[in-house]
Amino acid sequence: MKTGEIVTAGLLALFSAYLMWKSAELPVGYIRGEGPGGGAWPFWLSAIMLICACMVAVNGWRGRTTPSGSTEPLLDSHGWKMLVMVGGAIVVFVGLISIISMYGAIAVFLLYYTLYLGRHGWGLSLSISLLTPILFFFFFEGAMQITMPKGMSFTDPVFDILYDIIY
Amino acid sequence: MLVSIQPLNLMLIFVGVAVGLFIGAMPGLGSVNGVAILLPITFLVPAGSAIIFLAAIYYGAMYGGAISSITLGIPGASTAVATTFDGRPLALQGRASLALVTAALASFVGGTVANVLFTLFAPVLATVALSFGPPEIFALMLLAFATFVGLGGDDIPKTIFSICFGLVLASVGFDQISGEPRLVLFEMDGFLQGIGFLVLAIGVYGIGEMLWTIEQTRGEVTTTNANLTVKGMFSDLREASQRAWKGTVIGSFLGFFVGVLPAAGATPGSLMSYGVAKMVSRRPETFGKGNPDGISAPESANNSASTGAMLPMLTLGIPGSPTTAILLGGMVIWGLTPGPRLFINETEFVWGLIGSFYISNVAALLINLAFIPLFVWMLRMPFTILAPMIFVLSIAGGYAATRNMHDIWMMVVFGLGAFFLRKLDYPLAPAVLAIVLGPIAEPTLRQSLLLSSGDPSIFFTRPIAGPITVIALILIFLPALQFVRRRRRKAMA
């Protein structure tokens, strides 16, 4: 984990420096009669973040932090596989929302998870992945009057039927 | 108080407690996850009812954590870790029923004691806090962050990084005073509207924490059954009240006062109470082997601490735990400003909420005792069904609250980031606390410095702000002083 600790601290330090640079687009000092400038608060906080990230990196280098003292990798092969299979699926799920609607994306994600990752049978997987978005539709659109993304126009006929039930 | 017994609120209390019991019982889920994930769907009911519902979930989750600690040996939440020490051995001795009943009874007593203490202290603290100006409020914010540094027990640079990260995220969007765009990251227009606390909270607790749990448990959280009979529970109730009263008394009082501290909350409260109960016990060697006092102390403490954490949140506007930080953020969304003025401007709401604590406590005891076998049965739900449901609820619930796809992408980014940071022991609760307190901390600092023409001594010279600032600075520098002392000792040795 030592390498992971140092690399992560380095990335966080870079991000902190970027935040300092962005904050400096507004005044970061004290303006007489107006108080601290608009960029002062995030600028100095980002500066503290930068110092802390450097300290974490140095402590990691010296093996003084718990993760840097561990001989285990940050993620083993199972961990990476899980991240790709689950984390990747979440990214695809969110990406699909603008194409096949929130409800369509929920159905696809649940089917993938229960059938492929959970290794449940087709019957249970299909029931969960079809009933959940339908229940969500009636809860959000019917009860809460919140319109979820409908995706591209080819989904319209399905929603027309569902809206006919609500209204 | 009558607000809490309105039919809608009574129903929400019972539903909230039942949901909380389930969430608390599920390994990998705690009150903070439940409140963060379910907060968006509470916009269906009025603000007062919504906070009562979420508070009931918080309450129920404290009870529920013990169920999996005892029957599975896996704490349902971090607040129930100490319950595992004696709860699991007692269950393995075939006394799961006694362990569960002891936990329920202790939780009830802890909750009741805390509610009484809350009712006594809250109005007094709110009256004192009415005289607070910007320097005092900022000093209190500083104290809240300082307690995370001094008492949090995590890596100090990582804790400070987490706090500052949350505060910087809160400042994204527009400068509140000049009205100019600020920190529009990567020139993406989505950042102009800022980053809501819910985006970070759902990202961290709904996505990141679930990914972490799946990785840690290898996706295989398996559950076992416990032998429970309704008849046996009544004799267990009698036995629990005779054998576990000492731990209950310790946990009830200690838990409350630890819970009031901003960085402490229910987890350290329950661990400390367990330690004290063992220390004062005549038979400390029986702890860890199924001593009922070892269950009652942490269980009464985590319930008591959860109410204690509400005290600074409602009276001062400073949350005592990550869950109360999310509750506080929810209150702001609903147009309720936590702090001393709440006790004057929203009297009906405040006392209604306090009343709901009492009812939630009774509801949790009744539901818990009546449905323990059901909750144990529900624990057998495969994690491969529960986990995707939580992801779906996080994304759909998050969209319902923000109505913005940019925020949903941010949730995913925060979730994946939180997973890696959690792996590397970065504490994330301070970041959630900071993003909630940021919009209060920055203006109060700027107003204070404007009052003093830029002189920071204003935080030291005022009678209330001064001592608070000094305590905060001591807490911040305490770990550094301890480090220097340790090095000196090593050098001398």
Side-chain angles (χ1 to χ4, degrees), chain A residues 5 8 18 22 30 34-36 38 41 49 74 76 78 113 120 132 143-144 146 148-149, chain B residues 44 158 175 182 184 186-187 214 218 384 389 396 399 403 423-424 446 449-450 453-454:
Chain A
E5 175 92 303
T8 307
Y18 169 72
K22 282 299 285 181
Y30 189 85
E34 288 181 34
W41 173 257
M49 281 166 64
L74 178 61
D76 57 13
H78 171 270
Y113 206 112
H120 296 286
T132 309
M144 292 181 79
I146 292 172
M148 290 281 178
Chain B
L44 192 65
K158 287 176 181 174
D175 173 23
R182 180 168 69 175
V184 184
F186 310 108
E187 308 308 327
I214 294 167
R218 311 249 144 188
T384 44
M389 285 293 187
Y399 185 86
R403 321 272 173 104
K423 288 280 297 176
L424 291 166
R446 288 169 80 171
L449 289 175
L450 198 57
S453 305

mmCIF file of all heavy atoms in Angstrom, chain A residues 5 8 18 22 30 34-36 38 41 49 74 76 78 113 120 132 143-144 146 148-149, chain B residues 44 158 175 182 184 186-187 214 218 384 389 396 399 403 423-424 446 449-450 453-454:
data_model
loop_
_atom_site.group_PDB
_atom_site.id
_atom_site.type_symbol
_atom_site.label_atom_id
_atom_site.label_comp_id
_atom_site.label_asym_id
_atom_site.label_seq_id
_atom_site.Cartn_x
_atom_site.Cartn_y
_atom_site.Cartn_z
ATOM 1 N N GLU A 5 -0.303 4.892 -1.228
ATOM 2 C CA GLU A 5 -0.369 6.024 -0.287
ATOM 3 C C GLU A 5 0.354 7.250 -0.854
ATOM 4 O O GLU A 5 -0.172 8.362 -0.857
ATOM 5 C CB GLU A 5 0.280 5.599 1.041
ATOM 6 C CG GLU A 5 0.409 6.699 2.079
ATOM 7 C CD GLU A 5 -0.769 6.775 3.008
ATOM 8 O OE1 GLU A 5 -1.895 6.939 2.507
ATOM 9 O OE2 GLU A 5 -0.556 6.673 4.236
ATOM 10 N N THR A 8 -1.377 8.552 -4.164
ATOM 11 C CA THR A 8 -2.637 9.252 -3.850
ATOM 12 C C THR A 8 -2.350 10.611 -3.231
ATOM 13 O O THR A 8 -2.971 11.621 -3.605
ATOM 14 C CB THR A 8 -3.507 8.407 -2.889
ATOM 15 O OG1 THR A 8 -3.657 7.110 -3.447
ATOM 16 C CG2 THR A 8 -4.870 9.025 -2.681
ATOM 17 N N TYR A 18 -4.149 23.008 -7.716
ATOM 18 C CA TYR A 18 -5.101 23.487 -8.727
ATOM 19 C C TYR A 18 -6.196 24.353 -8.064
ATOM 20 O O TYR A 18 -6.572 25.406 -8.582
ATOM 21 C CB TYR A 18 -5.726 22.288 -9.451
ATOM 22 C CG TYR A 18 -6.896 22.644 -10.331
ATOM 23 C CD1 TYR A 18 -6.713 23.323 -11.535
ATOM 24 C CD2 TYR A 18 -8.201 22.320 -9.951
ATOM 25 C CE1 TYR A 18 -7.792 23.665 -12.337
ATOM 26 C CE2 TYR A 18 -9.276 22.661 -10.747
ATOM 27 C CZ TYR A 18 -9.075 23.328 -11.934
ATOM 28 O OH TYR A 18 -10.152 23.680 -12.724
ATOM 29 N N LYS A 22 -7.187 28.188 -8.819
ATOM 30 C CA LYS A 22 -8.549 28.606 -9.179
ATOM 31 C C LYS A 22 -9.073 29.652 -8.195
ATOM 32 O O LYS A 22 -9.763 30.593 -8.583
ATOM 33 C CB LYS A 22 -9.507 27.403 -9.178
ATOM 34 C CG LYS A 22 -9.438 26.504 -10.380
ATOM 35 C CD LYS A 22 -9.778 27.169 -11.686
ATOM 36 C CE LYS A 22 -11.234 27.438 -11.899
ATOM 37 N NZ LYS A 22 -11.471 28.080 -13.222
ATOM 38 N N TYR A 30 -6.607 40.646 2.312
ATOM 39 C CA TYR A 30 -7.593 41.449 3.043
ATOM 40 C C TYR A 30 -7.827 42.758 2.295
ATOM 41 O O TYR A 30 -6.874 43.450 1.942
ATOM 42 C CB TYR A 30 -7.075 41.726 4.464
ATOM 43 C CG TYR A 30 -8.119 42.366 5.348
ATOM 44 C CD1 TYR A 30 -9.047 41.588 6.032
ATOM 45 C CD2 TYR A 30 -8.189 43.753 5.473
ATOM 46 C CE1 TYR A 30 -10.021 42.185 6.818
ATOM 47 C CE2 TYR A 30 -9.161 44.354 6.260
ATOM 48 C CZ TYR A 30 -10.075 43.551 6.934
ATOM 49 O OH TYR A 30 -11.037 44.147 7.709
ATOM 50 N N GLU A 34 -13.685 46.019 3.240
ATOM 51 C CA GLU A 34 -14.527 44.942 2.695
ATOM 52 C C GLU A 34 -14.287 43.600 3.378
ATOM 53 O O GLU A 34 -15.054 42.655 3.211
ATOM 54 C CB GLU A 34 -14.259 44.769 1.187
ATOM 55 C CG GLU A 34 -14.810 45.889 0.335
ATOM 56 C CD GLU A 34 -14.543 45.651 -1.144
ATOM 57 O OE1 GLU A 34 -14.556 44.488 -1.578
ATOM 58 O OE2 GLU A 34 -14.300 46.640 -1.855
ATOM 59 N N GLY A 35 -13.170 43.495 4.065
ATOM 60 C CA GLY A 35 -12.839 42.218 4.713
ATOM 61 C C GLY A 35 -12.027 41.324 3.784
ATOM 62 O O GLY A 35 -11.543 41.784 2.731
ATOM 63 N N PRO A 36 -11.915 40.055 4.126
ATOM 64 C CA PRO A 36 -11.127 39.143 3.287
ATOM 65 C C PRO A 36 -11.730 39.033 1.885
ATOM 66 O O PRO A 36 -12.946 39.047 1.730
ATOM 67 C CB PRO A 36 -11.216 37.796 4.016
ATOM 68 C CG PRO A 36 -11.669 38.136 5.395
ATOM 69 C CD PRO A 36 -12.483 39.377 5.296
ATOM 70 N N GLY A 38 -12.846 37.467 -1.839
ATOM 71 C CA GLY A 38 -13.704 36.316 -2.132
ATOM 72 C C GLY A 38 -12.945 35.002 -2.290
ATOM 73 O O GLY A 38 -13.493 33.929 -2.063
ATOM 74 N N TRP A 41 -10.774 32.503 1.504
ATOM 75 C CA TRP A 41 -11.178 31.307 2.267
ATOM 76 C C TRP A 41 -10.751 30.018 1.540
ATOM 77 O O TRP A 41 -10.007 29.217 2.101
ATOM 78 C CB TRP A 41 -12.688 31.388 2.505
ATOM 79 C CG TRP A 41 -13.364 30.208 3.119
ATOM 80 C CD1 TRP A 41 -14.116 29.292 2.457
ATOM 81 C CD2 TRP A 41 -13.395 29.824 4.492
ATOM 82 N NE1 TRP A 41 -14.628 28.372 3.332
ATOM 83 C CE2 TRP A 41 -14.197 28.671 4.599
ATOM 84 C CE3 TRP A 41 -12.830 30.343 5.659
ATOM 85 C CZ2 TRP A 41 -14.453 28.018 5.803
ATOM 86 C CZ3 TRP A 41 -13.077 29.702 6.870
ATOM 87 C CH2 TRP A 41 -13.872 28.551 6.933
ATOM 88 N N MET A 49 -4.505 22.133 2.629
ATOM 89 C CA MET A 49 -4.655 20.800 2.012
ATOM 90 C C MET A 49 -3.347 20.371 1.356
ATOM 91 O O MET A 49 -2.932 19.210 1.457
ATOM 92 C CB MET A 49 -5.764 20.829 0.947
ATOM 93 C CG MET A 49 -7.165 20.771 1.499
ATOM 94 S SD MET A 49 -8.424 21.198 0.274
ATOM 95 C CE MET A 49 -8.231 19.901 -0.921
ATOM 96 N N LEU A 74 -2.703 -2.050 -2.464
ATOM 97 C CA LEU A 74 -3.892 -1.200 -2.256
ATOM 98 C C LEU A 74 -5.145 -1.970 -2.671
ATOM 99 O O LEU A 74 -6.147 -1.980 -1.969
ATOM 100 C CB LEU A 74 -3.755 0.084 -3.080
ATOM 101 C CG LEU A 74 -4.915 1.066 -3.032
ATOM 102 C CD1 LEU A 74 -5.156 1.584 -1.627
ATOM 103 C CD2 LEU A 74 -4.679 2.238 -3.979
ATOM 104 N N ASP A 76 -5.994 -5.894 -4.439
ATOM 105 C CA ASP A 76 -5.496 -7.129 -5.052
ATOM 106 C C ASP A 76 -6.313 -7.400 -6.328
ATOM 107 O O ASP A 76 -7.179 -6.596 -6.701
ATOM 108 C CB ASP A 76 -5.572 -8.299 -4.061
ATOM 109 C CG ASP A 76 -6.983 -8.528 -3.544
ATOM 110 O OD1 ASP A 76 -7.925 -7.968 -4.128
ATOM 111 O OD2 ASP A 76 -7.147 -9.272 -2.562
ATOM 112 N N HIS A 78 -8.700 -9.388 -6.908
ATOM 113 C CA HIS A 78 -10.147 -9.417 -6.644
ATOM 114 C C HIS A 78 -10.686 -7.997 -6.486
ATOM 115 O O HIS A 78 -11.770 -7.664 -6.981
ATOM 116 C CB HIS A 78 -10.446 -10.221 -5.381
ATOM 117 C CG HIS A 78 -11.875 -10.091 -4.944
ATOM 118 N ND1 HIS A 78 -12.291 -9.107 -4.077
ATOM 119 C CD2 HIS A 78 -12.987 -10.772 -5.296
ATOM 120 C CE1 HIS A 78 -13.588 -9.202 -3.904
ATOM 121 N NE2 HIS A 78 -14.042 -10.210 -4.627
ATOM 122 N N TYR A 113 -26.582 -6.859 -12.303
ATOM 123 C CA TYR A 113 -26.040 -7.151 -10.979
ATOM 124 C C TYR A 113 -26.565 -8.473 -10.418
ATOM 125 O O TYR A 113 -25.806 -9.320 -9.935
ATOM 126 C CB TYR A 113 -26.367 -5.995 -10.017
ATOM 127 C CG TYR A 113 -25.376 -5.881 -8.877
ATOM 128 C CD1 TYR A 113 -24.517 -4.795 -8.778
ATOM 129 C CD2 TYR A 113 -25.272 -6.863 -7.901
ATOM 130 C CE1 TYR A 113 -23.593 -4.696 -7.749
ATOM 131 C CE2 TYR A 113 -24.357 -6.768 -6.871
ATOM 132 C CZ TYR A 113 -23.520 -5.684 -6.804
ATOM 133 O OH TYR A 113 -22.612 -5.589 -5.795
ATOM 134 N N HIS A 120 -28.060 -15.017 -9.438
ATOM 135 C CA HIS A 120 -29.422 -15.468 -9.118
ATOM 136 C C HIS A 120 -30.070 -15.967 -10.409
ATOM 137 O O HIS A 120 -29.587 -15.679 -11.504
ATOM 138 C CB HIS A 120 -30.232 -14.310 -8.521
ATOM 139 C CG HIS A 120 -29.688 -13.824 -7.227
ATOM 140 N ND1 HIS A 120 -29.820 -14.517 -6.048
ATOM 141 C CD2 HIS A 120 -28.966 -12.714 -6.918
ATOM 142 C CE1 HIS A 120 -29.225 -13.855 -5.081
ATOM 143 N NE2 HIS A 120 -28.688 -12.760 -5.567
ATOM 144 N N THR A 132 -38.808 -3.205 -9.794
ATOM 145 C CA THR A 132 -38.224 -2.046 -9.096
ATOM 146 C C THR A 132 -38.413 -0.748 -9.894
ATOM 147 O O THR A 132 -38.934 0.232 -9.335
ATOM 148 C CB THR A 132 -36.732 -2.284 -8.790
ATOM 149 O OG1 THR A 132 -36.606 -3.538 -8.135
ATOM 150 C CG2 THR A 132 -36.145 -1.182 -7.929
ATOM 151 N N ALA A 143 -46.455 9.784 -7.008
ATOM 152 C CA ALA A 143 -46.628 10.294 -5.641
ATOM 153 C C ALA A 143 -45.849 11.590 -5.394
ATOM 154 O O ALA A 143 -46.367 12.533 -4.801
ATOM 155 C CB ALA A 143 -46.189 9.235 -4.640
ATOM 156 N N MET A 144 -44.590 11.632 -5.852
ATOM 157 C CA MET A 144 -43.763 12.799 -5.535
ATOM 158 C C MET A 144 -43.782 13.867 -6.619
ATOM 159 O O MET A 144 -43.250 14.966 -6.409
ATOM 160 C CB MET A 144 -42.322 12.361 -5.277
ATOM 161 C CG MET A 144 -42.171 11.546 -4.004
ATOM 162 S SD MET A 144 -40.457 11.064 -3.721
ATOM 163 C CE MET A 144 -39.776 12.561 -3.067
ATOM 164 N N ILE A 146 -42.109 14.096 -9.263
ATOM 165 C CA ILE A 146 -40.744 14.424 -9.704
ATOM 166 C C ILE A 146 -40.506 13.731 -11.035
ATOM 167 O O ILE A 146 -40.678 12.521 -11.151
ATOM 168 C CB ILE A 146 -39.702 13.953 -8.663
ATOM 169 C CG1 ILE A 146 -39.824 14.780 -7.388
ATOM 170 C CG2 ILE A 146 -38.278 14.056 -9.236
ATOM 171 C CD1 ILE A 146 -38.967 14.270 -6.254
ATOM 172 N N MET A 148 -38.271 12.240 -13.721
ATOM 173 C CA MET A 148 -36.920 11.697 -13.889
ATOM 174 C C MET A 148 -36.532 11.779 -15.373
ATOM 175 O O MET A 148 -37.418 11.852 -16.233
ATOM 176 C CB MET A 148 -36.897 10.232 -13.433
ATOM 177 C CG MET A 148 -37.047 10.053 -11.938
ATOM 178 S SD MET A 148 -35.495 10.383 -11.126
ATOM 179 C CE MET A 148 -35.943 10.170 -9.423
ATOM 180 N N PRO A 149 -35.246 11.721 -15.707
ATOM 181 C CA PRO A 149 -34.841 11.783 -17.111
ATOM 182 C C PRO A 149 -35.496 10.667 -17.928
ATOM 183 O O PRO A 149 -35.540 9.513 -17.496
ATOM 184 C CB PRO A 149 -33.323 11.587 -17.045
ATOM 185 C CG PRO A 149 -32.933 11.956 -15.664
ATOM 186 C CD PRO A 149 -34.089 11.605 -14.802
ATOM 187 N N LEU B 44 -41.429 14.460 0.210
ATOM 188 C CA LEU B 44 -42.849 14.176 0.011
ATOM 189 C C LEU B 44 -43.696 14.722 1.172
ATOM 190 O O LEU B 44 -44.866 15.023 0.992
ATOM 191 C CB LEU B 44 -43.023 12.654 -0.095
ATOM 192 C CG LEU B 44 -44.325 12.078 -0.566
ATOM 193 C CD1 LEU B 44 -44.590 12.467 -2.013
ATOM 194 C CD2 LEU B 44 -44.293 10.548 -0.471
ATOM 195 N N LYS B 158 -4.311 13.652 7.522
ATOM 196 C CA LYS B 158 -5.442 13.179 6.716
ATOM 197 C C LYS B 158 -6.752 13.785 7.223
ATOM 198 O O LYS B 158 -7.638 14.117 6.435
ATOM 199 C CB LYS B 158 -5.525 11.646 6.745
ATOM 200 C CG LYS B 158 -4.421 10.977 5.924
ATOM 201 C CD LYS B 158 -4.456 9.477 6.024
ATOM 202 C CE LYS B 158 -3.341 8.845 5.213
ATOM 203 N NZ LYS B 158 -3.244 7.392 5.389
ATOM 204 N N ASP B 175 -19.273 33.428 -4.659
ATOM 205 C CA ASP B 175 -18.863 34.036 -3.398
ATOM 206 C C ASP B 175 -20.103 34.679 -2.777
ATOM 207 O O ASP B 175 -20.762 35.510 -3.422
ATOM 208 C CB ASP B 175 -17.776 35.084 -3.679
ATOM 209 C CG ASP B 175 -17.420 35.882 -2.438
ATOM 210 O OD1 ASP B 175 -17.657 35.367 -1.327
ATOM 211 O OD2 ASP B 175 -16.909 37.012 -2.586
ATOM 212 N N ARG B 182 -17.037 31.522 -8.287
ATOM 213 C CA ARG B 182 -15.816 31.111 -7.579
ATOM 214 C C ARG B 182 -15.613 29.610 -7.755
ATOM 215 O O ARG B 182 -16.577 28.840 -7.643
ATOM 216 C CB ARG B 182 -15.966 31.469 -6.098
ATOM 217 C CG ARG B 182 -14.779 31.112 -5.242
ATOM 218 C CD ARG B 182 -14.874 31.743 -3.879
ATOM 219 N NE ARG B 182 -15.951 31.165 -3.072
ATOM 220 C CZ ARG B 182 -16.171 31.484 -1.787
ATOM 221 N NH1 ARG B 182 -15.419 32.382 -1.198
ATOM 222 N NH2 ARG B 182 -17.152 30.924 -1.134
ATOM 223 N N VAL B 184 -15.090 27.599 -10.267
ATOM 224 C CA VAL B 184 -15.827 26.866 -11.307
ATOM 225 C C VAL B 184 -14.816 25.878 -11.904
ATOM 226 O O VAL B 184 -14.080 26.192 -12.832
ATOM 227 C CB VAL B 184 -16.402 27.825 -12.379
ATOM 228 C CG1 VAL B 184 -17.233 27.057 -13.396
ATOM 229 C CG2 VAL B 184 -17.233 28.895 -11.713
ATOM 230 N N PHE B 186 -12.608 23.204 -13.681
ATOM 231 C CA PHE B 186 -12.448 22.738 -15.066
ATOM 232 C C PHE B 186 -13.423 23.468 -16.014
ATOM 233 O O PHE B 186 -13.831 22.921 -17.031
ATOM 234 C CB PHE B 186 -12.639 21.211 -15.152
ATOM 235 C CG PHE B 186 -11.815 20.484 -14.118
ATOM 236 C CD1 PHE B 186 -12.420 19.889 -13.019
ATOM 237 C CD2 PHE B 186 -10.431 20.420 -14.235
ATOM 238 C CE1 PHE B 186 -11.665 19.248 -12.041
ATOM 239 C CE2 PHE B 186 -9.672 19.768 -13.257
ATOM 240 C CZ PHE B 186 -10.286 19.184 -12.167
ATOM 241 N N GLU B 187 -13.785 24.672 -15.641
ATOM 242 C CA GLU B 187 -14.687 25.555 -16.425
ATOM 243 C C GLU B 187 -16.013 24.857 -16.746
ATOM 244 O O GLU B 187 -16.621 25.108 -17.791
ATOM 245 C CB GLU B 187 -14.015 26.038 -17.719
ATOM 246 C CG GLU B 187 -12.635 26.665 -17.548
ATOM 247 C CD GLU B 187 -12.576 27.787 -16.511
ATOM 248 O OE1 GLU B 187 -13.568 28.514 -16.358
ATOM 249 O OE2 GLU B 187 -11.552 27.902 -15.822
ATOM 250 N N ILE B 214 -18.328 -4.249 -0.179
ATOM 251 C CA ILE B 214 -18.286 -5.364 -1.144
ATOM 252 C C ILE B 214 -16.849 -5.878 -1.270
ATOM 253 O O ILE B 214 -16.604 -7.077 -1.297
ATOM 254 C CB ILE B 214 -18.833 -4.917 -2.521
ATOM 255 C CG1 ILE B 214 -20.323 -4.595 -2.421
ATOM 256 C CG2 ILE B 214 -18.619 -5.998 -3.581
ATOM 257 C CD1 ILE B 214 -20.885 -3.865 -3.629
ATOM 258 N N ARG B 218 -15.778 -9.415 0.180
ATOM 259 C CA ARG B 218 -15.709 -10.186 -1.070
ATOM 260 C C ARG B 218 -17.114 -10.469 -1.583
ATOM 261 O O ARG B 218 -17.361 -11.512 -2.194
ATOM 262 C CB ARG B 218 -14.953 -11.500 -0.884
ATOM 263 C CG ARG B 218 -13.632 -11.340 -0.173
ATOM 264 C CD ARG B 218 -12.485 -11.591 -1.095
ATOM 265 N NE ARG B 218 -11.366 -10.716 -0.786
ATOM 266 C CZ ARG B 218 -10.279 -10.603 -1.522
ATOM 267 N NH1 ARG B 218 -10.162 -11.286 -2.621
ATOM 268 N NH2 ARG B 218 -9.307 -9.793 -1.197
ATOM 269 N N THR B 384 -26.189 -9.580 -2.602
ATOM 270 C CA THR B 384 -26.164 -9.294 -4.040
ATOM 271 C C THR B 384 -27.505 -8.744 -4.529
ATOM 272 O O THR B 384 -27.635 -8.391 -5.700
ATOM 273 C CB THR B 384 -25.822 -10.574 -4.833
ATOM 274 O OG1 THR B 384 -26.583 -11.648 -4.292
ATOM 275 C CG2 THR B 384 -24.345 -10.879 -4.767
ATOM 276 N N MET B 389 -29.646 -2.531 -4.896
ATOM 277 C CA MET B 389 -30.806 -1.717 -4.509
ATOM 278 C C MET B 389 -30.322 -0.392 -3.892
ATOM 279 O O MET B 389 -30.904 0.667 -4.116
ATOM 280 C CB MET B 389 -31.670 -2.467 -3.492
ATOM 281 C CG MET B 389 -32.489 -3.568 -4.099
ATOM 282 S SD MET B 389 -33.736 -2.877 -5.180
ATOM 283 C CE MET B 389 -34.652 -4.318 -5.580
ATOM 284 N N ALA B 396 -31.100 7.316 -7.910
ATOM 285 C CA ALA B 396 -32.446 7.859 -8.162
ATOM 286 C C ALA B 396 -32.813 8.893 -7.099
ATOM 287 O O ALA B 396 -33.337 9.969 -7.421
ATOM 288 C CB ALA B 396 -33.468 6.726 -8.185
ATOM 289 N N TYR B 399 -30.905 12.090 -7.666
ATOM 290 C CA TYR B 399 -31.459 12.890 -8.766
ATOM 291 C C TYR B 399 -32.740 13.597 -8.305
ATOM 292 O O TYR B 399 -32.974 14.756 -8.632
ATOM 293 C CB TYR B 399 -31.738 12.031 -10.005
ATOM 294 C CG TYR B 399 -32.197 12.883 -11.172
ATOM 295 C CD1 TYR B 399 -31.273 13.486 -12.005
ATOM 296 C CD2 TYR B 399 -33.556 13.130 -11.395
ATOM 297 C CE1 TYR B 399 -31.680 14.319 -13.034
ATOM 298 C CE2 TYR B 399 -33.973 13.959 -12.411
ATOM 299 C CZ TYR B 399 -33.035 14.548 -13.241
ATOM 300 O OH TYR B 399 -33.442 15.389 -14.249
ATOM 301 N N ARG B 403 -32.143 17.156 -9.134
ATOM 302 C CA ARG B 403 -32.664 17.298 -10.507
ATOM 303 C C ARG B 403 -31.564 17.731 -11.483
ATOM 304 O O ARG B 403 -31.783 18.572 -12.347
ATOM 305 C CB ARG B 403 -33.813 18.317 -10.578
ATOM 306 C CG ARG B 403 -34.780 18.307 -9.430
ATOM 307 C CD ARG B 403 -35.897 17.339 -9.663
ATOM 308 N NE ARG B 403 -36.710 17.230 -8.474
ATOM 309 C CZ ARG B 403 -37.899 17.791 -8.323
ATOM 310 N NH1 ARG B 403 -38.437 18.471 -9.304
ATOM 311 N NH2 ARG B 403 -38.581 17.641 -7.202
ATOM 312 N N LYS B 423 -9.826 3.210 1.747
ATOM 313 C CA LYS B 423 -8.815 2.150 1.762
ATOM 314 C C LYS B 423 -7.510 2.653 2.376
ATOM 315 O O LYS B 423 -6.772 1.897 2.999
ATOM 316 C CB LYS B 423 -8.523 1.676 0.319
ATOM 317 C CG LYS B 423 -9.603 0.862 -0.336
ATOM 318 C CD LYS B 423 -9.630 -0.583 0.074
ATOM 319 C CE LYS B 423 -8.385 -1.372 -0.289
ATOM 320 N NZ LYS B 423 -8.453 -2.747 0.236
ATOM 321 N N LEU B 424 -7.254 3.946 2.193
ATOM 322 C CA LEU B 424 -6.003 4.510 2.692
ATOM 323 C C LEU B 424 -6.179 5.226 4.039
ATOM 324 O O LEU B 424 -5.343 6.053 4.420
ATOM 325 C CB LEU B 424 -5.425 5.480 1.647
ATOM 326 C CG LEU B 424 -4.919 4.798 0.364
ATOM 327 C CD1 LEU B 424 -4.683 5.818 -0.734
ATOM 328 C CD2 LEU B 424 -3.630 4.012 0.635
ATOM 329 N N ARG B 446 -15.557 35.979 7.957
ATOM 330 C CA ARG B 446 -15.387 37.234 7.237
ATOM 331 C C ARG B 446 -16.049 38.403 7.974
ATOM 332 O O ARG B 446 -15.498 39.494 8.048
ATOM 333 C CB ARG B 446 -15.941 37.086 5.804
ATOM 334 C CG ARG B 446 -15.027 36.191 4.961
ATOM 335 C CD ARG B 446 -15.642 35.809 3.655
ATOM 336 N NE ARG B 446 -15.536 36.870 2.648
ATOM 337 C CZ ARG B 446 -15.858 36.687 1.365
ATOM 338 N NH1 ARG B 446 -16.291 35.515 0.951
ATOM 339 N NH2 ARG B 446 -15.751 37.677 0.499
ATOM 340 N N LEU B 449 -13.816 39.311 10.967
ATOM 341 C CA LEU B 449 -12.619 40.057 10.578
ATOM 342 C C LEU B 449 -12.981 41.466 10.110
ATOM 343 O O LEU B 449 -12.201 42.405 10.299
ATOM 344 C CB LEU B 449 -11.850 39.306 9.488
ATOM 345 C CG LEU B 449 -11.153 38.025 9.969
ATOM 346 C CD1 LEU B 449 -10.520 37.278 8.810
ATOM 347 C CD2 LEU B 449 -10.088 38.335 11.023
ATOM 348 N N LEU B 450 -14.155 41.612 9.528
ATOM 349 C CA LEU B 450 -14.607 42.939 9.130
ATOM 350 C C LEU B 450 -14.880 43.794 10.372
ATOM 351 O O LEU B 450 -14.523 44.974 10.428
ATOM 352 C CB LEU B 450 -15.884 42.791 8.290
ATOM 353 C CG LEU B 450 -16.298 43.970 7.418
ATOM 354 C CD1 LEU B 450 -15.187 44.362 6.446
ATOM 355 C CD2 LEU B 450 -17.561 43.630 6.627
ATOM 356 N N SER B 453 -11.580 44.945 11.766
ATOM 357 C CA SER B 453 -10.692 45.535 10.754
ATOM 358 C C SER B 453 -9.515 44.615 10.445
ATOM 359 O O SER B 453 -8.369 45.054 10.333
ATOM 360 C CB SER B 453 -10.174 46.905 11.203
ATOM 361 O OG SER B 453 -11.247 47.738 11.521
ATOM 362 N N GLY B 454 -9.802 43.352 10.380
ATOM 363 C CA GLY B 454 -8.785 42.372 9.979
ATOM 364 C C GLY B 454 -7.929 41.859 11.117
ATOM 365 O O GLY B 454 -6.981 41.106 10.875
#
